[in-house]
Amino acid sequence: MHAKEPQPLGFRATDPTNHLDPHDNYAQMHNQSPVFFDSERELYWVVRNDLIRYINTNPQIFSSNVELFGGTGIVGYPKSVQEIRSRGVGHGDTLITNNDADSHRAYKEIVQRALAPRRVLMFETQTQDLAHQLIHAFPESGEIDFSSQFAVPLTFTVICRQLGIEEAMLATFKKWSDSIDVLLSNMAEEEALISAAHDELALQQYMLQRCELRRKDPKEDVISDIVTARFKGERPLNDTELFGILNQLFVAGNESTRSTLMGAIYYLTQQPEIFDQIRDGGQPVIKVFVEEVLRMWSAVQGLYRRALHDTEIEGVMIPKGAKIHIRYGAANIDPDAFTNPRQIDLTRAQPRGHLSFGYGIHHCVGAALARQELVTAIDLLTTKFSKVTLEQSPSDFHFFSSYHLRCLESMRVKFWT
């Protein structure tokens, strides 16, 4: 039997129209093949739900320790960017996307203890209080940019408080967070990468200074738990490990939640009947809605793997060393995995069956916190207001330019009392 050739990827993943509504492309892909090839980026795409689960549970074949342009270390960047990044503490293989080794479990256990249920409850109280303050500050007209006047200050403030970051630094941290996304975007030009690399150095310096303060005077927050933790119960984390973990918590802890919250409000403007169903059904309905938005919006559209051996996926030969893109956004509307996959279904029997928090050893360690933030915010907004309308055309939306993130940067809406 001859190996099959992968189907060519028939669209640009970074096209703004794809960010707005990728589902037409994904539906077409599901009708054609489970494996595609992006010749421009030399990436094999896998889009079928069960295959992505298989890849994520076999790290001995498909490693997440990938060096791409926009990877975790400095390889693959222009020399000018490598030189800047080499001045920092390095980029260890720690937690979320780039470590399959035994050490991954030890790092993850440290973060899981820091994000224990008692801490999530603390986050919930902070989220409620802050969301009330932000809603109270809405103009009388109810018309706002939902990103800058609610989603960003909510998600950034909550995570910054737990990482010991001074709230006066929020604007600076938003800039630094955007720069980390630039470094990870697999898209940016050299000039933008140089600027982002300088911002990363500033972020490192600040975060490690906060770590030193918490070593001397621990508080009841996440950063204190991580700084005082012991790797495998034996030693404190070094600076490279500390920054690796805190940086990933910081970026993943605000950007993906903010993006999902933007998606939730967008869907409520497009399907006002859901707003009424939420108001009538309360938190049980909100929790299902949140899962459906996580599935449909898929803030992290995909991540990367590297083949450690010659292998095959559904008859397509994948050579050793090949880079693979597991497209969660496509898997989340796989018709073999979901009934009515392109519809928000508030009666879905297993709403948590999506892959938006990953799968296997890399399942998102902050999933409970993200869910809590989203449920709390949507609960307060749908209780306070009777409806929300979109005050601009979706064709005018601007998305952050990224190969694997779906990040709407602003959205004008009006909340009605």
Side-chain angles (χ1 to χ4, degrees), residues 16 59 64 99 101 149 174 219 253 257 265 284 289 292 334 347 357:
S64 65
N99 184 356
Q149 291 175 261
K174 177 65 171 71
K219 305 292 184 184
T257 306
I265 300 305
F289 174 64
E292 286 288 88
D334 185 343
T347 65
F357 289 121

Side-chain angles (χ1 to χ4, degrees), residues 300-317:
V300 179
Q301 286 281 294
L303 289 175
Y304 306 97
R305 298 293 184 264
R306 177 168 52 89
L308 296 180
H309 317 280
D310 289 342
T311 187
E312 64 89 17
I313 301 175
E314 288 293 290
V316 174
M317 294 306 301

Side-chain angles (χ1 to χ4, degrees), residues 184-197:
L184 296 173
S185 68
N186 202 13
M187 286 280 305
E189 300 293 336
E190 183 172 356
E191 184 177 348
L193 288 168
I194 289 172
S195 176

Side-chain angles (χ1 to χ4, degrees), residues 393-412:
S393 169
S395 62
D396 294 329
F397 283 168
H398 180 66
F399 288 85
F400 175 76
S401 185
S402 175
Y403 195 83
H404 64 282
L405 298 178
R406 189 182 185 192
C407 186
L408 177 59
E409 295 199 318
S410 64
M411 180 173 65
R412 293 214 63 81

Side-chain angles (χ1 to χ4, degrees), residues 23 69 114 125 189 197 263 293:
H23 295 156
F69 186 77
T125 300
E189 300 293 336
V293 174

